[in-house]
Amino acid sequence: MTDIAELATDLAAEGADLDGIVAELGDDGWSLPTPAPGWAIAHQIAHLTWTDQVALLAATDPARFADAVAAAMADPTGFVDAAAAEGAGAPPAMLLSDWRQGRALLIDAVLAVPVGTKLPWFGPPMGAASMLTARLMETWAHGQDVADALGVSRTPTTRLRHVAHIGARTVGFAFAVHQKTVPPEFRVELTAADGRLWTWGPSSAADRVTGPALDFCLLVTQRRHPDDLELTVTGDNAEAWVPIAQAFAGLPGGGRKAGQFA
């Protein structure tokens, strides 16, 4: 069983790491462009702030969350960019303060969710552990965009297991989003930074992806092009999955170009 307290601690740590990167930025730093087209660093933090706020509604006020979903569905292809642009318009100090407050409130609220409760979301409802894992994945992914904008190298941590877990569990989702037949079995074998082996799926599966955990996480969050990663891909289904892998909900993303970060 997933340790919800450990997940909460890891999410807090992931947020603190990114906080440490942006906290000392001047106003000019917040306006630096990131690899996400049209998004500066301020947009990245504003997006995390908005998503934390909406997740807080899902955990505490389902009726207001439903209103937020209805508003988003009025502009299904543009609401994410619109919310990020609105938040990025705030003074950096205010944006940073709102993000800090929101992520702390969210962790407390999700920890208080009764065991077995499913929280509404833009995709299928999810339990408290899944909500925290998803927030960690997004924090890490958008933190990568910020790090790339600043030329900062981040040290991989064992928290990547949470990101990899979502990546391995969303193989079927990626196929479904692209209206492709979902493969019956899939194996993922990853080497963590500390040398441990992380695995998902049956060991007998013919389709598999193996390699460094960091590279897999960069793949499933679409922060690097597959050609730039040291992953071994075996099987027709695995070959078909790698270009469309996505650990995040919603429409397929544009990803990154091969060699973009050479």
Side-chain angles (χ1 to χ4, degrees):
M1 179 178 292
T2 302
D3 187 330
I4 192 76
E6 179 182 351
L7 265 173
T9 298
D10 284 350
L11 174 55
E14 198 62 47
D17 274 4
L18 178 53
D19 194 311
I21 294 176
V22 302
E24 300 303 320
L25 290 177
D27 288 359
D28 289 345
W30 285 82
S31 64
L32 285 173
T34 70
W39 280 30
I41 288 176
H43 291 78
Q44 300 285 349
I45 301 303
H47 173 70
L48 291 175
T49 302
W50 177 84
T51 313
D52 285 347
Q53 291 170 346
V54 176
L56 178 62
L57 290 179
T60 61
D61 195 336
R64 287 183 61 198
F65 173 78
D67 291 340
V69 172
M73 290 305 98
D75 183 15
T77 62
F79 76 93
V80 171
D81 285 335
E86 181 179 355
M94 180 182 296
L95 176 56
L96 182 58
S97 176
D98 288 348
W99 177 47
R100 287 171 172 169
Q101 181 181 42
R103 67 184 200 248
L105 289 172
L106 173 62
I107 289 174
D108 289 343
V110 175
L111 285 174
V113 170
V115 175
T117 299
K118 292 291 186 180
L119 303 177
W121 198 238
F122 293 90
M126 63 179 77
S130 293
M131 178 64 81
L132 291 177
T133 305
R135 297 310 310 130
L136 192 154
M137 179 272 294
E138 268 219 285
T139 302
W140 182 83
H142 290 283
Q144 185 62 47
D145 290 333
V146 173
D148 287 334
L150 295 170
V152 173
S153 295
R154 300 190 297 172
T155 301
T157 72
T158 55
R159 297 192 296 272
L160 285 180
R161 181 174 177 84
H162 304 305
V163 181
H165 178 72
I166 295 184
R169 294 291 299 273
T170 52
V171 171
F173 168 74
F175 276 92
V177 166
H178 287 268
Q179 299 174 342
K180 297 176 181 288
T181 302
V182 178
E185 294 184 329
F186 214 93
R187 176 74 168 181
V188 175
E189 296 181 354
L190 306 176
T191 304
D194 61 5
R196 282 184 289 178
L197 183 66
W198 298 338
T199 65
W200 291 266
S203 59
S204 60
D207 289 284
R208 57 183 59 222
V209 176
T210 63
L214 173 60
D215 287 34
F216 183 81
C217 292
L218 290 168
L219 172 75
V220 299
T221 57
Q222 296 187 2
R223 263 50 188 186
R224 291 294 185 273
H225 190 277
D227 290 353
D228 296 334
L229 300 172
E230 296 181 4
L231 296 171
T232 300
V233 183
T234 306
D236 291 343
N237 288 321
E239 291 279 1
W241 173 74
V242 165
I244 63 172
Q246 68 175 78
F248 50 87
L251 299 173
R256 303 290 180 258
K257 297 178 180 177
Q260 184 173 348
F261 302 94

